[in-house]
């Protein structure tokens, strides 16, 4: 009924099943396809697994073989190389990245490079980092306002700051700041002195 009520494409995200003895992703995928779902994301864990244990990609592979709609593989994809190998292994049309994008949003550009040229050449420069992080901070403040913006900024900035030596110490200090102006000026100052390293893909 959701599909019928809109002209927008409706996508669905599922896990592989209830638990390891009740894997039902292929069945659910077929029901979804019949119901007019446009694309299906699958996190390669069961509901009971929560975030514990290894993701398994075999069920995702089975789903890809069973339906014609695009399937998006998800779970524990934390690098461009892993994205490429999961796409090759499962035959999925795309990958979905969750935790590995936190404080690291340029991973999408790096994955595109890996899939297109089989190499990663983009690593954010100090100027890129300043631009991306400060823009994100301002957008959080603008969108959420001072009270909520301050809190959301603490969460997002701590993810970015975990990339840097001394980031953890600065993060503690950052969390003690109580105005958006303080947050903006101190993050600018920290980023203007930060050491930038290139992480291997
Ligand atoms: C902060 C956070 C928020 C999430 N919120 C949702 C959500 O609202 N709906 C959902 O289906 N999955 C949600 N997830 C799960 C992710 O979409 C994803 O399935 C899971 O994190 C596994 O992918 P990853 O290994 O790339 O993180 C969330 C995950 C995180 C870390």
């Amino acid at each position: 009924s959701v599909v019928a009520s809109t002209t927008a494409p409706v996508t669905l995200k599922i896990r592989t099943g209830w638990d390891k003895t009740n894997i039902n992703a292929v069945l659910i995928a077929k029901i979804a396809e019949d119901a007019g779902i446009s694309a299906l994301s699958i996190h390669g864990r069961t509901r009971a697994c929560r975030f514990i244990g290894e993701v398994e990609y075999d069920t995702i592979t089975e789903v890809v073989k069973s339906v014609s709609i695009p399937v998006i593989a998800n779970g524990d994809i934390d690098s461009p190389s892993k994205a490429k190998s999961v796409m090759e292994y499962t035959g999925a049309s795309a990958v979905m990245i969750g935790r590995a994008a936190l404080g690291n949003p340029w991973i999408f550009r790096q994955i595109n490079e890996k899939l297109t040229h089989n190499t990663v050449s983009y690593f954010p420069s100090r100027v890129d980092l300043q631009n991306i992080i400060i823009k994100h901070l301002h957008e959080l403040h603008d969108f959420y306002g001072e009270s909520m913006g301050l809190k959301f900024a603490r969460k997002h900035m701590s993810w970015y700051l975990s990339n840097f030596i001394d980031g953890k110490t600065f993060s503690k200090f950052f969390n003690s700041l109580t105005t958006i102006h303080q947050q903006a000026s101190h993050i600018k100052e920290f980023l203007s002195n930060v050491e930038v390293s290139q992480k291997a893909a």
Side-chain angles (χ1 to χ4, degrees):
S1 67
V2 176
V3 173
S5 69
T6 176
T7 51
V10 178
T11 63
L12 182 70
K13 177 162 176 274
I14 62 171
R15 287 190 173 220
T16 52
W18 291 108
D19 55 40
K20 284 183 179 168
T21 52
N22 291 285
I23 300 289
N24 62 4
V26 169
L27 173 68
I28 301 295
K30 285 182 177 165
I31 294 171
E33 183 173 43
D34 289 346
I37 290 295
S38 302
L40 181 69
S41 306
I42 309 178
H43 179 182
R45 288 189 175 89
T46 68
R47 182 173 184 266
C49 287
R50 294 183 294 163
F51 277 87
I52 300 159
E54 295 274 296
V55 162
E56 58 93 2
Y57 300 107
D58 291 332
T59 303
I60 300 177
T61 308
E62 286 307 306
V63 171
V64 170
K65 286 185 197 148
S66 310
V67 293
S68 313
I69 54 175
V71 173
I72 302 159
N74 170 241
D76 290 359
I77 299 166
D78 57 4
S79 68
S81 309
K82 182 91 183 263
K84 186 169 189 287
S85 66
V86 169
M87 285 185 71
E88 286 168 357
Y89 185 82
T90 59
S93 306
V95 285
M96 174 184 280
I97 313 292
R99 290 164 296 174
L102 302 174
N104 190 37
W106 39 88
I107 192 172
F108 299 104
R109 177 170 173 173
Q110 294 174 328
I111 289 173
N112 274 340
E113 285 186 340
K114 183 75 184 174
L115 296 177
T116 315
H117 307 296
N118 199 24
T119 183
V120 174
S121 59
Y122 177 75
F123 295 91
S125 65
R126 183 200 303 272
V127 173
D128 290 344
L129 289 168
Q130 286 170 332
N131 289 341
I132 294 166
I133 297 172
I134 292 166
K135 181 168 183 270
H136 193 172
L137 181 68
H138 285 308
E139 285 176 351
L140 287 166
H141 290 160
D142 290 346
F143 187 78
Y144 290 107
E146 175 127 24
S147 170
M148 290 303 288
L150 273 169
K151 295 186 179 98
F152 275 100
R154 288 176 190 148
K155 182 172 75 170
H156 285 277
M157 293 304 114
S158 84
W159 283 323
Y160 284 115
L161 291 166
S162 68
N163 291 311
F164 307 119
I165 302 163
D166 296 337
K168 221 173 177 177
T169 311
F170 176 73
S171 195
K172 276 191 189 146
F173 167 71
F174 185 85
N175 289 348
S176 73
L177 302 174
T178 51
T179 70
I180 55 176
H181 298 291
Q182 286 173 349
Q183 283 191 337
S185 69
H186 284 288
I187 204 98
K188 263 183 210 158
E189 192 189 334
F190 178 82
L191 292 173
S192 64
N193 297 312
V194 86
E195 204 172 297
V196 177
S197 64
Q198 297 200 339
K199 275 192 190 167

